[in-house]
Amino acid sequence: YQIKGLLYEGKAKKIYETDNPDIVIMEYKDDATAFDGTKRGTIREKGIVNNKVSNHFFKLLESKGIPTHFVEEIDERRTAVKKVEIVPVEIIVRNIAAGSLCNRLGLEEGIVLKRPILEFCYKNDALHDPQINQYHILALELATEEEVDRIVEYSFKTNQVLREYLKEVNIDLIDFKLEFGRYKGNIVLADEISPDTCRFWDVNTKEKLDKDRFRRDLGNVEEAYKEVLKRLGL
Ligand code: C5P
């Protein structure tokens, strides 16, 4: 692909246009932010890890029947993906209580939930991504009812696939965030699935292998990201 102009720069990624109107290039940066952008830093080679991990998961999910934006890995930091219109809703799936769920509901971190929880947030920086529900999504026309049904179906399926897969490499999938896009009229899984957007705990030691090491200054941040790569055989 012939790379053209920069289309968008976010906190962790840059998106470039290409000569193909249906394809864009995602480039993963090492920049890290947390707590609504108030904490900033760099995690060395995070971009390389996230690119590889995310592509590995997207290929796995495609093979299990979940459509994604993945096209092909270009190099260690860049991937060609379908140019989608992002649905302005973040989906969070939780298996074990952690993070904001503990703060909101007064739960102890690590409590195993009776069944997975699915949450929606409105993607809006100025409003700090407020939590919403399916009624808000339909009332504000953020997505259609058919799209919401697809998003919910793909989110739970993604949880099932990734949870079982990660268990094999001794990682518990605590929770994660997904984004979806529209491509030629269909809902496809987009953005990334990486240690930046998931909580991964070692099954035995409960050691955190994700961005919480950065958020909470736990040390060995780069090492944790690399450990995820290693366990996935990448
Ligand atoms: O902060 P909270 O506990 O709600 O996060 C739940 C999950 O969603 C975590 O795995 C976190 O990394 C991810 N997340 C994200 N991007 C956000 C909010 C949460 O990747 N904007």
Side-chain angles (χ1 to χ4, degrees), residues 190-209:
D191 196 54
E192 66 176 286
I193 305 179
S194 71
D196 267 13
T197 65
C198 303
R199 286 193 174 95
F200 298 135
W201 294 359
D202 180 273
V203 167
N204 301 312
T205 66
K206 309 292 173 195
E207 188 189 1
K208 293 177 169 56
L209 300 171

Side-chain angles (χ1 to χ4, degrees), residues 54-95:
S54 197
N55 290 344
H56 185 71
F57 286 152
F58 277 59
K59 282 187 254 183
L60 171 69
L61 292 165
E62 284 275 357
S63 80
K64 304 286 183 183
I66 299 166
T68 79
H69 70 167
F70 179 78
V71 177
E72 69 169 321
E73 192 167 295
I74 305 287
D75 59 30
E76 60 180 14
R77 282 183 187 272
R78 294 181 302 168
T79 294
V81 299
K82 293 165 188 152
K83 185 178 184 181
V84 301
E85 180 194 358
I86 289 285
V87 176
V89 175
E90 293 187 345
I91 292 81
I92 292 171
V93 183
R94 304 178 184 273
N95 298 305

Side-chain angles (χ1 to χ4, degrees), residues 6 8-16 25-33 40-52 54 75-79 191-192 194-197 211 214 221-222 225:
L6 181 68
Y8 168 82
E9 177 160 7
K11 292 166 207 154
K13 289 190 291 290
K14 291 181 184 175
I15 311 285
Y16 294 93
I25 306 278
M26 284 196 332
E27 183 176 277
Y28 288 79
K29 307 193 286 184
D30 288 348
D31 300 350
T33 61
R40 286 166 188 278
T42 303
I43 302 172
R44 199 166 35 87
E45 302 198 337
K46 165 172 89 80
I48 297 173
V49 173
N50 286 1
N51 187 38
K52 289 183 182 172
S54 197
D75 59 30
E76 60 180 14
R77 282 183 187 272
R78 294 181 302 168
T79 294
D191 196 54
E192 66 176 286
S194 71
D196 267 13
T197 65
K211 197 175 168 186
F214 169 78
V221 186
E222 283 103 7
Y225 277 68

Side-chain angles (χ1 to χ4, degrees), residues 147-181:
E147 287 175 333
V148 173
D149 289 346
R150 277 284 181 216
I151 287 170
V152 169
E153 176 196 335
Y154 292 157
S155 296
F156 280 126
K157 182 81 190 288
T158 295
N159 185 43
Q160 187 195 318
V161 169
L162 293 184
R163 217 176 157 182
E164 284 173 17
Y165 186 82
L166 286 161
K167 199 74 168 188
E168 297 293 313
V169 297
N170 249 0
I171 291 175
D172 271 327
L173 179 60
I174 307 306
D175 57 31
F176 57 96
K177 185 264 301 178
L178 298 176
E179 294 187 30
F180 291 88

